[in-house]
Amino acid sequence: MDLPVPLAWLVDEAGASPGPDRFLIELGGRLLADGLPMAGGALTLAVPHPIVARRTWLWRAETGEVIEALGFIGSPLGEAGRDWLARLGPVQENKIGPAPDSPVLAWAGTRPFDPGEASRLRQAARFAVAPLAASAARLALAALLEAYLGRRSAARVQAGALRRGSGEMIRAALLYADLRGFTALSEATAPAAMIAALDAWFERVAGAVQAFGGEVLKFIGDGVLAIFPVAGTPEEACEAALRAVAAVRAGMAHLDAQRQAQGLPPLPFGAALHLGDILWGNIGAADRLDFTAIGPAVNLVSRLEGLCRPLGRSVLISGAIAAGTATPLVPLGDHVLRGIARPCAVFTLPDA
């Protein structure tokens, strides 16, 4: 049976599209070449994510370009695509499947679609069910991995880095941060309130880390381990880590003010920064792995954070970071760290 070009592509090739953006470009271009008056298109897929409910790709026929919009939990299905397409022309929307979170494929015309054209678009939507199901499954897997591992680590796992002991040596600025007095606070606080406090703390650290190009590797109790891989120069990674820790301090000052207004105690914390080489990859049992970072640099930054309380500082910085930044720092001398062979030169921020 001979099929129109767009339908033949959906049957034979669309399942191998590298992503939803390419799927939309390819299908939209073929529909346009097949004589349909296309002004643009939108594809919306649901994703399992803590805050993002769906992702929408928006294609403009005039330029062939695609942009992406995020739909957060609580927003109506297909809203971003519908509103954007309405500015281009009359819209026809087709839901791909019966489930509430089924994909939505919508098109805008340079003029209203006539009954025959609308029928062809509905037919294309029916043929798109199988390739979009495959694309949605890949997208869901990527979203889950990113939520639990972080974007860089998730990409490594998806690329096939699954063997125990596999990994790579990378150079990175490390940030380790930990709440002070967490045990005593948890014993005097209801579990729900304690979880809310932890979430608020983690949100400020993770937000600051991600804002400056870093990635949270691990939540450890009330502690956080994050890395800023050296992609350009070590100085750039050091500066990014310093900006992130400044943002953490600002965020926590604001949170403590909110808590004080509610009659709640503050959440004091300590944070340490270090620059070094780490092994980034899989460790664990044969069938249960953890994708994380290990090595002397990880040990050092965690031991350095442990000095925050005895030195009365909220931020401590190793000599390796100090050597890679022009930011003014205050030297605190050399200190012996438990389990670390050589004393570490320690610095802090002027107002920490």
Side-chain angles (χ1 to χ4, degrees):
M1 179 177 65
D2 290 332
L3 292 172
V5 170
L7 302 187
W9 178 79
L10 285 168
V11 171
D12 297 330
E13 302 176 51
S17 291
D21 52 345
R22 287 306 310 173
F23 175 93
L24 187 60
I25 291 171
E26 297 284 351
L27 179 55
R30 283 170 170 79
L31 291 170
L32 184 63
D34 202 39
L36 288 168
M38 311 299 290
L43 171 61
T44 298
L45 297 176
V47 292
H49 190 274
I51 57 174
V52 178
R54 57 195 63 87
R55 294 169 66 180
T56 298
W57 291 265
L58 307 165
W59 168 73
R60 186 187 288 270
E62 184 180 8
T63 62
E65 295 178 346
V66 170
I67 60 175
E68 185 181 347
L70 301 179
F72 296 94
I73 291 173
S75 61
L77 181 66
E79 180 182 48
R82 194 180 305 119
D83 292 347
W84 185 82
L85 288 175
R87 295 195 288 270
L88 300 182
V91 176
Q92 174 168 319
E93 186 175 275
N94 298 289
K95 194 172 179 185
I96 315 295
D101 59 351
S102 293
V104 174
L105 191 57
W107 305 102
T110 56
R111 56 167 173 76
F113 296 109
D114 65 35
E117 292 165 344
S119 176
R120 289 161 65 187
L121 290 177
R122 286 193 295 270
Q123 189 177 35
R126 288 195 292 270
F127 275 73
V129 170
L132 282 182
S135 185
R138 290 193 295 269
L139 188 67
L141 175 61
L144 283 171
L145 288 174
E146 287 182 15
Y148 283 91
L149 298 178
R151 179 161 295 199
R152 289 187 183 90
S153 299
R156 293 267 300 150
V157 170
Q158 281 194 286
L162 298 174
R163 289 187 298 106
R164 181 173 60 168
S166 66
E168 61 175 318
M169 292 297 298
I170 66 170
R171 192 158 183 80
L174 293 90
L175 165 65
Y176 185 79
D178 189 40
L179 284 179
R180 291 278 165 261
F182 174 74
T183 301
L185 182 64
S186 61
E187 289 178 354
T189 306
M194 196 66 247
I195 290 173
L198 278 176
D199 285 345
W201 154 243
F202 288 143
E203 191 170 284
R204 279 150 182 82
V205 179
V209 167
Q210 292 162 3
F212 292 99
E215 180 163 319
V216 171
L217 283 188
K218 189 75 59 185
F219 296 117
I220 311 163
D222 59 313
V224 184
L225 174 64
I227 61 171
F228 299 80
V230 174
T233 65
E235 290 76 16
E236 290 171 340
C238 293
E239 291 294 341
L242 284 163
R243 292 191 185 101
V245 83
V248 171
R249 295 179 66 210
M252 290 304 293
H254 183 260
L255 176 62
D256 283 344
Q258 290 181 323
R259 289 176 61 84
Q260 183 178 14
Q262 299 166 6
L264 298 172
L267 296 174
F269 69 93
L273 299 176
H274 178 52
L275 175 72
D277 297 323
I278 58 173
L279 178 63
W280 184 43
N282 289 303
I283 61 170
D287 60 348
R288 177 62 175 88
L289 299 175
D290 188 16
F291 201 92
T292 188
I294 58 173
V298 178
N299 298 336
L300 190 149
V301 76
S302 115
R303 298 290 188 253
L304 182 58
E305 189 279 328
L307 274 183
C308 286
R309 187 198 296 271
L311 292 183
R313 305 285 181 166
S314 61
V315 177
L316 294 180
I317 298 160
S318 75
I321 291 279
T325 180
T327 300
L329 300 175
V330 177
L332 299 178
D334 292 352
H335 292 265
V336 175
L337 304 177
R338 182 168 58 88
I340 306 298
R342 295 180 179 177
C344 176
V346 179
F347 297 78
T348 191
L349 298 171
D351 58 345

